[in-house]
Amino acid sequence: MSVRRHTTARLTTATTALVLGSLLGVAAAPPAAAANPTPTSWEAKALGLASAQGTAQGEGIKVAVLDSGVMTNHVALHGKVTTGPDFLKDGLQPGDPRWGGHGTAMASDVLKVAPKASILSVRVIDDKKDHGGDIRQGVSPTSQGIDYAVDHGADVISMSLGGEMFGDSVDEDEVDALARAAQKGIPVIASAGNEGDMFNDASYPAGYPGVIAVAATQQNGSRADFSTVRTYNAVAAPGVAIMSAKNTGGYEPVDGTSPAAALTSGVVALMLSHNDKLTPAQVRTLLTKTAHHPAGGRNALVGYGPIDAAAAVQGSSKPPADGTGPVKYTGKEHLATPDGTPKTQHPPLETDLVTIGLGAAGVGLLMVIGAVLITRAGRRAAARG
């Protein structure tokens, strides 16, 4: 059973906002970005955004933002957002503090890169429950959101969200939904996670095969301290002090692999508007081949390195061949485990040992959970300070 998805954005302090604001006062936005009012800072230069937008601006591309909802009346988003269903079904509505904060920010980051793209907003997470979520039963809201995006014309699926798993390492609903997205030729982007300076838990959907997982970099191009270190990381993008839209109006700087993934989704929208025939495999290959590769080659810190939007968009006109395709299984079918027990039948359990083991495990689990909650609560309090 998996935990419910949670947001991965981290708001910076007021001091950072003031410093960044002074920088924005003297830095001119690239002319090509004038169509979108969201302020840009260092990420524009790091991505090569001016050159990329000189080639394409996301025309005709629909980006599905699976998140906490998007405030459609924000000046950065007005007229560019279609609102889909609320699969979280928790009774919250626009205007509630726990509705649309994270999603509004991520949608603005997508449009900052691809100002002529459109957004399909699908609500699958709650803004405030950032502790890892509650034990969930039933169909995953994330899987429902993926299917809705697939069925309603999404060209890119952007998921700046994630959570670790309890028990099984995958959620079958989400794996199946991602497979349907792949069959429709829709690239899926997800944030790598913000646990790099704590427990470094794996995060899903970033960890699923076929998903382009994005790590976060700081201004010098190196990995941001919080960015989760995992072999599933494909590429990296700016993720520190990214000016993003607020659900209450205006803008604020955001840290996390969340904005890194949203910016990357915008780059993919530029690529597809330049060549709408690109397959998910070609998108991944172009992003990884044109990225600024780290010394020593691909690593678990930043994957193939910080993306180069200009090079990726330019390369989209002549993409590498897509060699992916279904492969027929030619091995033998084994209907029993090595000890001869059919897959549909379990061997007898040693109930006494199981009872003792579960009791000991329960005590240990409570101790671990208590320590984790205390540590994470303190960390959240420090972040708010």
Side-chain angles (χ1 to χ4, degrees):
M1 183 178 294
S2 67
V3 298
R4 186 190 57 76
R5 294 298 181 262
H6 65 281
T7 67
T8 55
R10 297 145 55 113
L11 301 182
T12 59
T13 63
T15 301
T16 302
L18 289 173
V19 172
L20 185 57
S22 65
L23 290 175
L24 291 171
V26 298
N36 187 275
T38 304
T40 58
S41 184
W42 69 277
E43 74 275 8
K45 182 178 180 180
L47 291 170
L49 206 51
S51 177
Q53 290 178 337
T55 302
Q57 295 200 3
E59 301 91 334
I61 301 302
K62 182 185 292 186
V63 181
V65 175
L66 274 55
D67 215 288
S68 64
V70 175
M71 295 298 290
T72 60
N73 60 353
H74 195 287
V75 64
L77 304 167
H78 185 67
K80 298 180 179 180
V81 181
T82 300
T83 300
D86 182 345
F87 288 113
L88 201 57
K89 298 178 181 177
D90 56 0
L92 298 184
Q93 299 292 330
D96 188 282
R98 285 165 53 182
W99 197 102
H102 190 259
T104 299
M106 297 306 102
S108 73
D109 289 340
V110 171
L111 292 176
K112 177 191 296 184
V113 176
K116 293 185 179 179
S118 62
I119 300 293
L120 172 62
S121 170
V122 185
R123 187 168 183 264
V124 298
I125 57 173
D126 180 339
D127 268 336
K128 298 299 181 182
K129 292 184 179 179
D130 61 347
H131 49 69
D134 306 317
I135 299 298
R136 174 185 58 76
Q137 295 184 353
V139 179
S140 157
T142 302
S143 69
Q144 292 176 290
I146 294 170
D147 278 334
Y148 184 88
V150 170
D151 292 339
H152 289 78
D155 300 294
V156 185
I157 296 177
S158 181
M159 295 189 286
S160 292
L161 53 88
E164 66 275 14
M165 295 290 185
F166 288 147
D168 293 340
S169 60
V170 298
D171 183 303
E172 291 184 3
D173 294 333
E174 293 172 8
V175 171
D176 290 345
L178 287 167
R180 289 187 283 272
Q183 289 172 345
K184 291 287 188 178
I186 304 172
V188 179
I189 319 299
S191 49
N194 293 340
E195 293 289 325
D197 55 354
M198 281 192 68
F199 301 101
N200 203 49
D201 296 327
S203 181
Y204 296 86
Y208 291 131
V211 175
I212 299 174
V214 185
T217 60
Q218 51 193 336
Q219 293 189 28
N220 64 6
S222 64
R223 179 187 71 93
D225 291 342
F226 55 78
S227 185
T228 296
V229 180
R230 286 277 164 174
T231 55
Y232 59 59
N233 287 340
V235 289
V240 176
I242 307 302
M243 290 299 288
S244 309
K246 296 171 60 178
N247 62 340
T248 54
Y251 304 89
E252 64 185 348
V254 176
D255 291 352
T257 57
S258 282
L263 293 171
T264 301
S265 297
V267 172
V268 174
L270 296 182
M271 296 166 65
L272 290 173
S273 67
H274 191 47
N275 180 0
D276 62 3
K277 303 300 183 184
L278 293 176
T279 67
Q282 289 173 322
V283 167
R284 175 188 287 269
T285 299
L286 284 167
L287 287 174
T288 56
K289 286 187 67 175
T290 59
H292 302 289
H293 295 174
R298 183 181 187 275
N299 60 43
L301 300 173
V302 293
Y304 285 94
I307 60 175
D308 183 335
V313 173
Q314 184 178 11
S316 299
S317 60
K318 293 183 179 180
D322 184 348
T324 61
V327 177
K328 184 178 180 180
Y329 177 68
T330 57
K332 294 182 178 180
E333 181 72 18
H334 292 279
L335 299 179
T337 57
D339 65 358
T341 304
K343 288 184 178 181
T344 56
Q345 177 181 336
H346 291 286
L349 296 176
E350 294 290 344
T351 54
D352 292 340
L353 294 177
V354 170
T355 302
I356 295 171
L358 288 176
V363 173
L365 180 60
L366 288 175
M367 293 176 66
V368 171
I369 290 175
V372 169
L373 291 177
I374 290 171
T375 302
R376 290 186 173 177
R379 176 175 178 166
R380 292 197 300 275
R384 288 193 295 269

